[in-house]
Every structure is written in C-alpha cells, then in structure tokens.
Amino acid sequence: MPDEFYLNPAQVRRSFDKAARSYDSAAAVATEIRNRLLERLDIVKLQPKAILDLGAGTGHASKALRHRYRGAEVIALDLAPAMLAQAERKQAWLRRFDPVIADAHRLPLKDASVELVFSNLMLEWCHDPDAVFQEIRRVLKPGGLLTFTTLGPDTLRELREGWRKIDPYTHVHRFIDMHDLGDALMRAGLAEPVMDTERLTVTYGDLDALMRELTASGSSNVAHGRRRGLTTKARLQALREAVRPEPTAGALPISVEVVYGHAWAGQLRRPQRVGGEIRVPISSLKR
C-alpha cells in the first residue's frame, strides 16, 4: 500500500513555487497561526543573535522576527525559490533577513550556529520529521529553542471523509499526531518538549471556495497515494454532494487542528551504540 504520509519534496517545491504570487491573499489561516506562534515568544526569556525561520515562505515571520530581535541575524530558509522571491520584496533597508533556498531535511548551516529556530506550518510538508528534528538539533546552540506549529490529524477532516465516500485514494494529506511528534523530538535529543493543540473551525461559502483557497496557498494534493490525472466534473460534483454547507448556517465548517511544539537544545553529544541499543546521556537532555 502507498505511504499516505510520504510527500515528494520536488512536488512540494513545485506546488509552492506555482502558488507564490497568490499565497499571501489565500493564507488567512496560516497568518493567524503564525501570529499566535509569535505571541508565544513573549514569555520566552531569550535574546538570540542568530535565528532560523524554517519554512519562511513569503517572509512575514522573518520580517517580524527581525523587528522583534533587532540585533539578530535572521535566516529565511525555504524549499521554494519563488516563495523566497516574494519574501525579498518585504525586505526593509535597515532590518534585512538572509534568504536561503534549502531542504529542511539537510540544512546548509554549521553545527550550533543559531539560538532560535522558528517554524510555522512547515513540518506537515516534510516526509521525514525525525530527520528534520535531528538537523534542527544539530544547528541549535546549547540552550537554544525550537518553537513550531504544524497541522494535526483532524485538519480538513470533513474533506477527507467526503472523499472516502467516493473512492479509496488519498485526496487529503495525513497529518502526524502530536504525541508522535513529541517522541520524535526526544529521539532527536531535544529536551523538555512541550506539545499542545488548538482546534479551529474555519467557514467557507461552499466547497469551491475551500478548494480555491487550498490551490492558491499551494496546499495541493501531492500525497503518494493520490489519484493520478485531473478530477472529473462528475467526481467533483459528487464531492459537493458529500461535503455540503450546513443548511441552517449557510456555511461550510472546516476543521483545523493546530499543533504547537517547543523544545530546548542541551549539550550536543553523539549517542553511544551498545549492542542493538542507542544510549543517550541524560545530561544531554538538560537545558
């Protein structure tokens, strides 16, 4: 069976490159989540000199981080060149950030080179979260912070259930559970992981409005188990019948499960392999 969690990085890049110019106008949900993640930094006593905005997209968070931490260097890293081209247009003369095109699974940064990794709604587009967390742990200095958001399994639940009535293919990406992400943070050697979720309901006039927003924001279906070829008018009409607005409200409610996570970097040490076991010193988990 195809792996519903696997997303091809090249296809992810093409999808967001294609949507770069329309992204900002269609990213109201991502904007709200980003602002909530930025607000959480208010309670963190950290004055980073180097910050990585991982999955920077069109640069809004990079600009906000550069303004918040005025003396810091901000690296805006994204897989899609066209998204970073849009980010360049948001540069300020005195508070610039550094755009870098790269894959989160293989960060082109030195070990222990940043104090803060900020990532908004990027992880759900990565096919190997373990590798991403390991790279984040590598580039964080001891005492550095990772703070991120991603999407949980209930996101787009209504759309997923509607497609299940029509065919067995994967039409909506599978999103990783909060607890599994917490385990991955620990495996990467990140300390004191804190995970929580927030459930939002976003309303649309109809299914077509939702589909237009997903396409314009680059959230296209690139899952390994997707149906190949264009969606026919008949199948799209069947989906409209399966996913209807509520008659009393006249609006289509769509679920968004937001997963928030943060963890600290302890002293970076190589795990010791003994027999078939991996042993990680408990001191490496201390902030």
Side-chain angles (χ1 to χ4, degrees), residues 41-56:
L41 290 173
D42 292 342
I43 61 174
V44 177
K45 294 181 179 180
L46 189 69
Q47 289 300 319
K49 295 181 180 179
I51 302 168
L52 173 60
D53 181 10
L54 190 54

Side-chain angles (χ1 to χ4, degrees), residues 107-278:
L107 298 176
L109 303 178
K110 294 180 180 179
D111 293 2
S113 56
V114 300
E115 289 95 356
L116 173 63
V117 175
F118 180 98
S119 183
N120 182 54
L121 298 182
M122 184 276 304
L123 194 63
E124 66 268 21
W125 295 100
C126 298
H127 63 272
D128 189 353
D130 277 279
V132 174
F133 286 149
Q134 288 163 12
E135 279 290 271
I136 290 172
R137 175 63 197 89
R138 180 182 65 79
V139 303
L140 272 174
K141 292 182 179 180
L145 174 67
L146 162 65
T147 184
F148 70 93
T149 62
T150 187
L151 298 178
D154 275 352
T155 300
L156 298 177
R157 172 174 49 82
E158 298 82 2
L159 187 59
R160 184 181 292 108
E161 292 174 352
W163 274 117
R164 282 176 180 166
K165 298 174 183 178
I166 299 171
D167 63 40
Y169 294 99
T170 301
H171 293 273
V172 180
H173 297 169
R174 291 286 304 276
F175 302 112
I176 299 175
D177 182 81
M178 172 184 71
H179 301 93
D180 293 328
L181 291 173
D183 291 342
L185 289 169
M186 293 293 290
R187 286 193 296 270
L190 288 155
E192 302 177 42
V194 176
M195 308 290 298
D196 65 281
T197 62
E198 185 175 23
R199 297 176 187 274
L200 309 177
T201 300
V202 185
T203 56
Y204 297 87
D206 53 27
L207 175 68
D208 292 77
L210 168 63
M211 301 296 279
R212 284 194 299 271
E213 181 176 292
L214 292 175
T215 300
S217 64
S219 301
S220 302
N221 180 20
V222 296
H224 189 211
R226 71 188 184 280
R227 184 187 180 100
R228 307 294 172 166
L230 298 175
T231 302
T232 65
K233 292 183 178 180
R235 295 176 68 253
L236 187 56
Q237 182 57 36
L239 183 63
R240 292 191 185 102
E241 294 295 323
V243 186
R244 292 182 176 182
E246 292 184 348
T248 55
L252 176 65
I254 297 296
S255 301
V256 178
E257 181 184 354
V258 186
V259 175
Y260 295 88
H262 81 251
W264 298 86
Q267 191 67 33
L268 184 59
R269 297 185 181 180
R270 293 186 180 277
Q272 298 177 359
R273 181 178 293 274
V274 179
E277 299 180 351
I278 296 288

Side-chain angles (χ1 to χ4, degrees), residues 17 20-21 57-59 78 80-91 97 99 101:
D17 272 339
R21 292 187 177 181
T58 56
D78 201 273
M83 295 288 276
L84 286 179
Q86 294 297 314
E88 280 280 13
R89 299 185 178 187
K90 299 177 178 62
Q91 293 273 30
F97 50 82
I101 302 169

